[in-house]
Amino acid sequence: MEVFSADILSLTSEAAVLVHNGVVAYANPAALSLAGADCVGKTKLSVFGEEICGTQAGSFVADVPVNGTNCIVRVSRIDHGEIIFFSPGGKCSTVLNEPFMCTIRTCLMLIEFSAAQLSQIAEERGDEEGLNHVRIITQNYYRMSRLMGNASFILNFEAGTLPYAIVPVNISKTCRDILELCKIFTPDLNIHANLCDGFGDIVVNADRDLIKRLVFNLLSNCMLHAEGSSKICMNLYNLPDSLVISVSDDGKGIEKDDLLTVFERYKYNFDLSAMGKGAGLGLTVVRQIAQIHNGTLLLESRPGQGTSVRVSISKHLYPRTSLHSGSGNDEVSATDMFEELADCIDSKFFSSKYMD
């Protein structure tokens, strides 16, 4: 059976290895190029790291460094071992350049201004139908703003021009503040959380704004895509070398074939209902924030049982600044909620009553 699997793997152009008893037994040419010509005979732990080795799911996908290159790694267990596929993370589409982004931002500013003017006119006239349309326009302004924010983040990350400031951040407080606002704007959402280590809040060196963006994207991903979910669980795990942020749901889970493409941007079947749930940038942003913090992302899903996304943040980062610092603001505002969870909040909240 092992020889049969090796014959199959030799036919694919994607990097793939066969693991038997925790040791790489076979690597196709693409895998030898990425993981090193000497990877056969090495342990799975030495090639792929502890995140991959410590996960017991039948199949899962993760973003981890392999031989110094961040790769999307997909693991499938078979009777006599595991087959692991891996490939470098994709690059941003060339259509996402600064002139394009600047044009969209200008359009968004005009939409925001016009919506504010229309809201004032409708309120003066007591036009409830007009106000309802303004709320829809405002919600979609924030949806577009979030989309462009994520796209701009990816563009700057891949160009090496993303600003960040590594400073002490109270991750427990950041998560707690976000969840408190979630109770106001998504009141039907059932969230369970464990945000400390038993000795108090968890503080690590990180970028404040990026951590907020990471948590919002994890929550948004659950709210939008966890079909059939009745609750979301957020946990912080304080490990010796890292902090792990985990967000899980109890929804229908992701089918094994679909699991292979969860990190691919703009990846959808021709299903308009699925396309309406976003452009597939959220997990890409989460992956890249993890990379900035010398961490990894692992997504595990079991059909009928739910999905869990775990992001690690290294504890060995030292305070520093790249290009220039972010806002440095610890507070989580309602504006953050309107933008980061615009796809998940009812349009009734996009009115002057809540936004003021």
Side-chain angles (χ1 to χ4, degrees):
M1 181 66 75
E2 185 173 314
V3 174
F4 175 74
S5 299
D7 288 341
I8 295 296
L9 296 186
S10 68
L11 300 177
T12 179
S13 60
E14 184 177 14
V17 300
L18 176 65
V19 176
H20 185 63
N21 291 330
V23 175
V24 176
Y26 171 80
N28 68 3
L32 294 172
S33 176
L34 267 178
D38 60 345
C39 68
V40 176
K42 287 186 175 181
T43 64
K44 183 177 72 168
L45 176 64
S46 66
V47 177
F48 296 103
E50 61 183 356
E51 287 86 358
I52 297 296
C53 294
T55 302
Q56 302 301 316
S59 61
F60 59 93
V61 61
D63 174 72
V64 296
V66 178
N67 198 27
T69 299
N70 272 86
C71 292
I72 297 172
V73 179
R74 309 194 310 271
V75 179
S76 293
R77 303 198 193 283
I78 52 179
D79 290 340
H80 54 289
E82 297 168 307
I83 295 178
I84 302 178
F85 295 91
F86 54 105
S87 58
K91 293 296 182 181
C92 198
S93 171
T94 55
V95 72
L96 295 178
N97 54 37
E98 278 305 325
F100 175 88
M101 305 291 273
C102 184
T103 301
I104 297 298
R105 290 191 193 102
T106 301
C107 293
L108 286 172
M109 289 174 59
L110 293 173
I111 291 172
E112 182 184 30
F113 175 78
S114 296
Q117 298 301 306
L118 287 172
S119 179
Q120 182 176 341
I121 293 171
E123 286 181 356
E124 291 172 354
R125 295 178 178 177
D127 182 359
E128 188 57 38
E129 183 179 358
L131 286 172
N132 184 55
H133 286 297
V134 170
R135 287 192 286 268
I136 293 172
I137 292 171
T138 303
Q139 179 179 22
N140 281 280
Y141 157 79
Y142 279 104
R143 291 183 68 193
M144 291 178 64
S145 181
R146 176 177 183 266
L147 174 63
M148 296 310 297
N150 278 343
S152 180
F153 175 95
I154 294 169
L155 182 68
N156 284 299
F157 175 87
E158 294 182 347
T161 57
L162 184 74
Y164 61 88
I166 303 298
V167 297
V169 178
N170 187 329
I171 307 292
S172 299
K173 180 180 184 300
T174 297
C175 293
R176 194 160 50 241
D177 289 348
I178 289 174
L179 295 185
E180 284 300 315
L181 281 172
C182 280
K183 291 179 182 178
I184 298 173
F185 294 104
T186 56
D188 297 330
L189 194 64
N190 183 12
I191 299 182
H192 298 257
N194 180 13
L195 305 177
C196 63
D197 63 357
F199 299 96
D201 286 355
I202 303 172
V203 178
V204 299
N205 288 332
D207 182 282
R208 292 189 179 97
D209 293 335
L210 295 186
I211 292 299
K212 285 192 283 188
R213 185 185 288 266
L214 182 150
V215 174
F216 273 122
N217 271 295
L218 289 177
L219 285 173
S220 177
N221 188 66
C222 268
M223 295 178 195
L224 288 174
H225 301 294
E227 184 178 343
S229 176
S230 62
K231 68 178 179 180
I232 293 174
C233 296
M234 176 181 288
N235 293 286
L236 299 182
Y237 298 101
N238 197 8
L239 305 180
D241 295 315
S242 65
L243 166 69
V244 175
I245 304 172
S246 172
V247 177
S248 305
D249 64 73
D250 62 349
K252 63 179 290 186
I254 303 172
E255 294 297 329
K256 183 177 179 180
D257 290 343
D258 294 332
L259 192 64
L260 306 182
T261 60
V262 293
F263 291 148
E264 293 187 26
R265 304 169 203 157
Y266 317 111
K267 178 70 176 182
Y268 287 103
N269 294 322
F270 293 101
D271 182 347
L272 291 178
S273 63
M275 291 177 69
K277 294 183 178 179
L281 299 182
L283 284 179
T284 298
V285 170
V286 170
R287 283 178 50 225
Q288 293 174 342
I289 292 174
Q291 290 175 27
I292 289 170
H293 293 86
N294 291 347
T296 60
L297 181 154
L298 187 146
L299 186 150
E300 174 189 342
S301 189
R302 295 181 174 91
Q305 298 183 43
T307 300
S308 176
V309 182
R310 298 191 292 276
V311 181
S312 66
I313 303 296
S314 173
K315 287 185 175 179
H316 302 296
L317 296 177
Y318 298 97
R320 68 181 188 276
T321 299
S322 173
L323 299 180
H324 57 83
S325 64
S327 68
N329 184 6
D330 275 330
E331 299 301 318
V332 179
S333 68
T335 301
D336 292 327
M337 292 291 297
F338 288 132
E339 180 161 321
E340 297 294 343
L341 297 181
D343 292 306
C344 313
I345 298 173
D346 191 287
S347 61
K348 70 180 181 182
F349 290 106
F350 291 87
S351 63
S352 57
K353 174 183 176 180
Y354 294 97
M355 303 190 72
D356 291 341

